[in-house]
Amino acid sequence: MFMRTSIRYRLMLLMICLTTIPVLIVTLTATHNTRSSVEKEIIEANRSRMLWAQQYLDELVERIDVLFYSLQINEPLMDGLNPIGNPSVGEQFRTQRYIQETLTSAFYANSRKVDELSLYTHQNQRLYSVNFSTSGLIHSLHIENGAWGRMTAGPVNLYFKQTGDSVSAFHSVNRFEDRALLGGLSVRINDGVWKQVGDILRSESDSAVFLMNDEGELLTGSSSAAEYDAVLDIYRQASADEADDEAGYRKTERYFLFAEQVDGGALTLLKAVPISAVTESASDTVRAGVALGLLFAGLSVLASILVSLRISRPIVSLAKTMRTAPIRHFEMTSVNSRDEIGLLERGYNSMIQRIRELIEHEYQREIEVKNAQLMALQAQINPHFLNNALLMIGGMALSKGAPDIYRVAKGIGDLLRYSIGSGSETASLEDEVKHARNYLLIQEQRFLGRCRVSFVVEAPTPRLLVPRFALQPLIENAFEHGLQPKEGAWEIDIRIRTVGRRIAVLIRDNGVGIDALLLRALREELRTSVSLRPPARSAEERGEPPRRKGIGLRNVNSRLKLRFGAGAGIRIFSAPGAGTVIALALAMNVEGEETHS
């Protein structure tokens, strides 16, 4: 009783662990994933906003570039910046009027984002300005100090400077020949542009947004200067520590920092999002997940106790039944329930049934093996009897003065004797040649007067071991597929000669040849044939008409490759109506030795 109680409590404890631990793990994982998901969402949202703001400012820069370029290619306007000689008062007035009209037209064409357009002439140090309140204000300007001062150091492309409470863009105008300063162009950008940029970037209440020019100067629309100094120091430190940032995003101990450059660094957008914002965004979800996890853990404990109390006794009972079941008689148990215990009982019955089927299968297999051995013995007796009968017929024909019948009967007998001969998988090339000659003798007599056979061995056949039935199936294939479909006279020519360290075998017929597509498929089949793979199903098993029986080209090709290496495969050359040539190259060896190619 104590033992069963101990098992019951151990089972209960095990089930509690198996149910609560996964719930706790899932809860902790979900909490971590929730925080990671919120962090990823904030990062992706801010990266998208940074790209949006960058595209917005890129369009602004492009528009300003177009405005400045259109003014620089205006020849009368540029001539007014550098007049030749001493123009008269009337010419000066006309030039001044033209400059004012040109600036006014350009200003109102871009007035949605520009509050003021200015043109500076360096020769007379005058500044022409056009805005909504004036249409051609002219006053003197010395540019050595101030926003225009960068132009004195040399040609400068578009740059931005803080001018009072606004941001202005500047561009120098230089003479092409010597790059001397002729003047400059400037636009004061509407404050609504920077407000729009701030609205795009400020997605969190406690985030900080900064806009800087290429000199690191803080521009309109940025957060407070105190925050700027602290965040800029952190940004510079993170840039120095991290060789590669992920598309303008860096994470530090206190902030997520996002940075994008506009127009190759003319403007820089910098946004800092406190890491605490991510924690606060995910805190409610995390608390809800923890509470739900604890609730499910409690329910799991309760369910584990109830289930363990219900299944402990039936499991012990089933185990006792399995120990005492008379398996030798294959008796099955009755299934009385549909729950887990019933599943175990059905599994037990299934196991008994499979054991019974396995024994019956092995018994049937043993019977089939005995039958196959008996049939093999009978098959061996029949060829021996036929061979002896053929020899007897040949002897009788010779005694009656019919030598042709004797030669045919002897050839057939030799074919049978070779087929049922030694169980070895190899034979000498000399024996293969004799076997092939016997086959050709039968075919010559069969097609007497129609078939001309030439069999030439150009040198004494060396003691070369080849796979049994390596030549005769190829010759038979030439008769059945090349010659028999052809009308008229037949020719088949077999030549064997020694070439270096190899034996070359050529089998040529003047048959119908092979179609190009079929020849390509046949060559591919011979190239990829692997004799070690399981044998394919027979034609009868595949539901196809039976094909010619015997050893086919692929079988011979595979055995030659296994014996002599990949270079000893069958080569086929043919064309429709031109006959077929089969070529073999066998590496020479001494009988009884292994050949390696």
Side-chain angles (χ1 to χ4, degrees):
M1 180 66 182
F2 174 77
M3 186 178 203
R4 291 182 180 178
T5 303
S6 176
I7 292 175
R8 182 180 303 167
Y9 282 118
R10 285 200 297 267
L11 179 61
M12 185 184 303
L13 180 61
L14 177 61
M15 294 191 66
I16 290 174
C17 293
L18 291 177
T19 53
T20 56
I21 290 177
V23 171
L24 294 176
I25 292 175
V26 170
T27 301
L28 294 176
T29 304
T31 301
H32 174 73
N33 290 342
T34 300
R35 190 181 186 284
S36 300
S37 177
V38 172
E39 178 178 323
K40 182 178 180 181
E41 181 180 352
I42 291 177
I43 291 172
E44 292 300 326
N46 279 282
R47 289 171 65 181
S48 298
R49 288 177 176 273
M50 292 294 290
L51 291 176
W52 183 10
Q54 181 193 31
Q55 292 174 359
Y56 180 77
L57 292 177
D58 280 336
E59 293 176 0
L60 172 67
V61 171
E62 182 179 358
R63 193 161 190 170
I64 294 174
D65 278 336
V66 171
L67 171 60
F68 287 168
Y69 180 73
S70 65
L71 294 176
Q72 290 184 77
I73 63 175
N74 189 322
E75 293 185 4
L77 182 65
M78 292 298 102
D79 292 340
L81 296 181
N82 187 26
I84 301 174
N86 295 318
S88 63
V89 175
E91 291 176 347
Q92 291 180 6
F93 177 77
R94 284 192 297 273
T95 299
Q96 179 178 325
R97 184 185 181 95
Y98 181 80
I99 291 175
Q100 291 174 341
E101 290 177 353
T102 302
L103 293 180
T104 300
S105 176
F107 169 73
Y108 281 104
N110 297 272
S111 59
R112 294 185 58 185
K113 294 184 178 181
V114 173
D115 285 344
E116 185 177 81
L117 173 61
S118 300
L119 171 66
Y120 167 71
T121 62
H122 188 60
Q123 184 176 10
N124 53 20
Q125 295 186 338
R126 288 184 179 181
L127 183 69
Y128 297 84
S129 299
V130 176
N131 52 41
F132 289 107
S133 58
T134 63
S135 59
L137 182 63
I138 305 173
H139 59 86
S140 298
L141 176 66
H142 298 281
I143 66 171
E144 286 75 12
N145 298 316
W148 296 82
R150 290 178 62 176
M151 298 182 185
T152 60
V156 58
N157 290 327
L158 185 68
Y159 67 94
F160 294 83
K161 292 289 289 185
Q162 184 73 29
T163 55
D165 295 333
S166 302
V167 178
S168 297
F170 297 86
H171 195 293
S172 68
V173 178
N174 301 83
R175 190 161 47 220
F176 178 78
E177 292 81 2
D178 55 3
R179 314 302 289 170
L181 180 63
L182 299 179
L185 295 167
S186 170
V187 291
R188 188 177 69 213
I189 301 172
N190 192 303
D191 291 342
V193 172
W194 312 117
K195 184 178 181 301
Q196 179 70 23
V197 173
D199 293 340
I200 292 174
L201 294 179
R202 286 190 176 89
S203 55
E204 297 84 15
S205 58
D206 51 354
S207 61
V209 177
F210 306 101
L211 179 66
M212 300 174 286
N213 62 13
D214 55 350
E215 295 177 333
E217 180 185 6
L218 198 63
L219 303 179
T220 297
S222 303
S223 301
S224 66
E227 293 181 2
Y228 168 74
D229 293 336
V231 171
L232 186 59
D233 290 340
I234 295 175
Y235 174 75
R236 289 170 177 167
Q237 182 63 35
S239 300
D241 293 342
E242 299 181 20
D244 296 322
D245 61 329
E246 185 180 353
Y249 154 67
R250 295 183 180 92
K251 181 178 180 181
T252 66
E253 294 181 359
R254 295 176 53 193
Y255 294 100
F256 293 103
L257 299 177
F258 303 87
E260 292 291 346
Q261 291 188 344
V262 179
D263 192 32
L267 290 175
T268 299
L269 292 172
L270 178 62
K271 180 177 181 180
V273 180
I275 293 181
S276 58
V278 178
T279 305
E280 292 176 2
S281 300
S283 58
D284 294 338
T285 305
V286 171
R287 283 193 292 270
V290 171
L292 188 62
L294 294 175
L295 176 62
F296 275 105
L299 293 176
S300 299
V301 170
L302 180 61
S304 300
I305 294 174
L306 295 177
V307 172
S308 62
L309 291 176
R310 181 178 179 183
I311 67 175
S312 59
R313 287 184 180 178
I315 288 178
V316 173
S317 176
L318 179 61
K320 182 178 179 180
T321 302
M322 293 177 67
R323 285 197 303 269
T324 58
I327 297 180
R328 62 183 179 274
H329 299 298
F330 302 108
E331 296 181 1
M332 300 184 182
T333 62
S334 59
V335 180
N336 299 320
S337 62
R338 294 175 179 246
D339 56 7
E340 289 80 0
I341 305 302
L343 180 62
L344 291 175
E345 292 174 341
R346 286 191 291 273
Y348 169 77
N349 291 339
S350 176
M351 179 186 67
I352 294 297
Q353 180 64 27
R354 291 180 64 186
I355 292 175
R356 175 186 296 172
E357 292 175 355
L358 179 61
I359 292 177
E360 291 177 354
H361 175 73
E362 290 297 323
Y363 179 72
Q364 183 65 28
R365 181 173 173 273
E366 186 175 354
I367 293 177
E368 291 176 355
V369 170
K370 295 295 184 182
N371 290 336
Q373 292 175 348
L374 179 60
M375 293 176 64
L377 181 61
Q378 292 175 347
Q380 187 175 7
I381 294 174
N382 291 336
H384 279 292
F385 174 76
L386 291 175
N387 181 46
N388 294 332
L390 285 170
L391 292 177
M392 180 190 70
I393 294 173
M396 293 175 64
L398 188 61
S399 64
K400 298 295 184 180
D404 291 340
I405 297 177
Y406 169 76
R407 287 192 302 109
V408 171
K410 184 177 183 301
I412 295 175
D414 291 340
L415 286 175
L416 282 174
R417 185 166 56 254
Y418 188 79
S419 300
I420 63 175
S422 171
S424 174
E425 295 182 356
T426 60
S428 66
L429 179 59
E430 181 181 1
D431 291 340
E432 275 293 297
V433 169
K434 291 179 180 179
H435 182 64
R437 288 185 184 276
N438 287 328
Y439 175 77
L440 287 171
L441 173 65
I442 305 300
Q443 293 292 69
E444 278 186 294
Q445 295 298 320
R446 179 184 175 190
F447 302 104
L448 189 62
R450 185 181 183 185
C451 179
R452 185 189 68 80
V453 176
S454 173
F455 200 130
V456 178
V457 179
E458 297 185 2
T461 305
R463 301 297 293 175
L464 176 67
L465 291 180
V466 298
R468 289 173 63 85
F469 301 102
L471 298 182
Q472 181 268 331
L474 304 180
I475 300 173
E476 180 182 359
N477 187 77
F479 272 97
E480 294 200 7
H481 299 284
L483 297 177
Q484 290 189 14
K486 179 187 176 181
E487 297 180 357
W490 299 348
E491 294 181 4
I492 183 167
D493 185 13
I494 300 100
R495 292 182 179 273
I496 301 176
R497 61 179 300 183
T498 302
V499 181
R501 294 291 300 169
R502 293 181 178 272
I503 302 298
V505 180
L506 295 178
I507 301 174
R508 184 188 63 81
D509 64 73
N510 67 336
V512 295
I514 304 175
D515 179 73
L517 293 177
L518 180 59
L519 179 61
R520 187 182 302 112
L522 186 57
R523 285 173 173 172
E524 179 65 19
E525 183 179 7
L526 294 178
R527 186 182 66 82
T528 58
S529 64
V530 180
S531 62
L532 297 180
R533 62 185 177 187
R537 295 182 301 166
S538 65
E540 291 81 355
E541 292 175 340
R542 296 193 302 269
E544 301 175 356
R547 299 181 180 180
R548 179 180 63 85
K549 297 183 179 179
I551 301 175
L553 289 177
R554 189 174 66 180
N555 183 289
V556 174
N557 183 69
S558 299
R559 292 187 296 122
L560 287 175
K561 287 183 177 181
L562 284 176
R563 178 68 183 173
F564 296 100
I570 295 175
R571 271 73 168 177
I572 302 179
F573 307 91
S574 182
T580 302
V581 176
I582 296 178
L584 306 178
L586 311 177
M588 285 196 294
N589 65 337
V590 180
E591 185 175 356
E593 294 181 355
E594 293 294 331
T595 301
H596 300 280
S597 177

